[in-house]
Amino acid sequence: MAALLQTTIAGSLPKPEWLCTPGVLWAPWLLDGEALAEGKRDAVRLALFDQEHAGIDIVTDGEQTRRHFVTTLIENLDGVDFEHRQTVRIRNRYDAAVPVVVGPVARRHPVFADDARFLRRETQRKVKYTLPGPMTMVDTLYDAHYKSREKLAAVFAEILNQEALAIEAAGVDVIQFDEPAFNVYFDEVRDWGIATLERAAQGLKCTTAVHICYGYGIKANIEWKKTLGSEWRQYENTFPLLARSKIAQVSLECANSHVPLELIGLLTGKDVLVGAIDVATDRVETPEEVAATIRAATKYVPAERVYPCTNCGMVPLKREVARGKLEALAAGAALVRRELS
């Protein structure tokens, strides 16, 4: 029987300052050629070292080989113009200059399979690999070709499925699709979002997960949260739909938020990756604070289905802060694990 309360992270970790400018999303690489390739591999090794030494059970590559969790995949697809960008509203929250879909989108070759194989070779622990979800990919582009979010999402779902199957063949244990857009476009989630997510995961035999959150700890997200009132009930729209889906795990935000924890009881039959680390602050949680979040979650989800996690990715944080939060996550989970056993 697997140990209770296995810890993991949403996906990303800060990158070393010799690889790119720290704390900046879409930061350009500071190396090139073979030096960049080797630098990425070294950064993955450091991300694994930090997770393993902190006591994280299911580790990731920290997304060290990607400039951005969505656009790195899109950069390797046909039909998308990165030179002539358009400004769009991202998740109804902030404006960004994004690539333009100018023709049929297609995958030329596996994008992350080699990185997944490297990750698998470098650790003996269970590994999770993250991919953007179809709806979030659509929401990070200007579509001048399909002119239909649903049609473009369906194309991305097929591409993601090809990519996920190649990553699974590399030996990963969990593939997670990141869908922060699920917390915004509720009608679309109902009408086609769940279906395209399931299409992206079709045929996978490894554990499947979806990450839904309130975003990185960046100014636009923090300001948006201030408009949500005393209770953040966005999950109430999506959880019943996900409970009926074929996705096995749901990763969500809980720590230091206004999410009513009883909402996670709507995820009947699913593993719940309980965000017990706030990524929107540099303050490192105490193990007892982490334990309190986990204990609260076990009132609504059986302990054997709870996986203590981070609220979201930690790429904007300082590395020493992220390391401290990893240690707090593992220590807090250990406290509750001892109580339960």
Side-chain angles (χ1 to χ4, degrees):
M1 180 179 175
L4 282 176
L5 305 179
Q6 293 184 61
T7 53
T8 188
I9 64 172
S12 69
L13 288 169
K15 295 181 177 70
E17 63 181 12
W18 43 260
L19 187 60
C20 64
T21 303
V24 178
L25 301 182
W26 283 291
W29 303 118
L30 299 178
L31 305 170
D32 56 29
E34 181 52 37
L36 175 59
E38 184 62 25
K40 289 178 179 179
R41 290 191 291 268
D42 286 344
V44 171
R45 292 184 179 105
L46 286 173
L48 288 172
F49 179 91
D50 285 346
Q51 291 171 85
E52 291 178 354
H53 280 252
I56 302 302
D57 300 298
I58 302 169
V59 297
T60 81
D61 65 353
E63 299 179 6
Q64 300 294 297
T65 66
R66 294 173 252 184
R67 283 186 61 194
H68 187 263
F69 82 104
V70 179
T71 54
T72 298
L73 175 59
I74 298 172
E75 286 170 0
N76 289 275
L77 304 179
D78 290 328
V80 184
D81 180 3
F82 274 76
E83 296 299 319
H84 305 92
R85 294 173 177 248
Q86 294 282 345
T87 299
V88 301
R89 194 78 174 163
I90 302 290
R91 289 186 275 292
N92 283 339
R93 216 170 299 166
Y94 58 92
D95 293 329
V98 300
V100 179
V101 179
V102 295
V105 178
R107 174 177 174 264
R108 295 190 291 268
H109 50 73
V111 179
F112 297 129
D114 285 346
D115 292 335
R117 276 190 287 272
F118 178 79
L119 173 64
R120 177 67 283 170
R121 288 198 304 267
E122 291 296 307
T123 182
Q124 298 300 311
R125 302 199 179 195
K126 288 184 177 181
V127 295
K128 176 169 76 174
Y129 209 90
T130 59
L131 290 170
M135 183 179 288
T136 297
M137 291 179 74
V138 167
D139 201 51
T140 316
L141 293 168
Y142 180 87
D143 177 16
H145 178 72
Y146 296 93
K147 299 181 179 179
S148 164
R149 286 167 65 89
E150 182 177 358
K151 289 179 181 178
L152 181 56
V155 172
F156 281 143
E158 293 187 18
I159 290 171
L160 283 164
N161 186 242
Q162 297 167 8
E163 191 66 22
L165 290 168
I167 291 169
E168 178 184 55
V172 305
D173 301 283
V174 182
I175 293 179
Q176 175 182 290
F177 298 93
D178 295 337
E179 282 286 27
F182 272 26
N183 244 9
V184 181
Y185 307 109
F186 306 118
D187 291 344
E188 291 179 312
V189 172
R190 179 197 63 219
D191 294 343
W192 52 264
I194 298 292
T196 54
L197 175 63
E198 289 185 320
R199 176 64 185 91
Q202 185 174 308
L204 292 174
K205 297 179 177 60
C206 66
T207 300
T208 57
V210 61
H211 173 62
I212 309 172
C213 65
Y214 290 80
Y216 288 135
I218 59 175
K219 184 176 184 295
N221 293 333
I222 293 171
E223 292 300 315
W224 173 62
K225 290 180 183 182
K226 292 178 182 178
T227 71
L228 298 181
S230 59
E231 279 196 337
W232 303 349
R233 303 193 69 90
Q234 285 74 16
Y235 289 146
E236 196 167 28
N237 294 275
T238 52
F239 284 178
L241 300 172
L242 285 168
R244 297 193 294 271
S245 77
K246 298 175 183 177
I247 304 300
Q249 299 185 335
V250 180
S251 167
L252 55 108
E253 174 174 328
C254 295
N256 196 26
S257 74
H258 298 299
V259 174
L261 262 186
E262 65 266 20
L263 294 182
I264 66 176
L266 298 172
L267 290 167
T268 305
K270 302 300 179 187
D271 293 341
V272 180
L273 279 59
V274 173
I277 292 292
D278 182 2
V279 302
T281 176
D282 282 343
R283 191 183 74 83
V284 175
E285 291 81 355
T286 67
E288 183 51 48
E289 288 171 329
V290 172
T293 301
I294 298 168
R295 289 189 198 102
T298 60
K299 295 178 182 178
Y300 305 102
V301 177
E304 60 269 21
R305 287 195 172 275
V306 171
Y307 289 72
C309 189
T310 56
N311 278 357
C312 189
M314 293 197 284
V315 65
L317 297 177
K318 297 176 182 177
R319 291 182 69 199
E320 62 270 22
V321 170
R323 280 193 291 265
K325 287 177 177 285
L326 291 174
E327 292 168 358
L329 178 62
L335 285 175
V336 184
R337 194 180 299 123
R338 285 195 293 271
E339 294 167 5
L340 292 173
S341 60

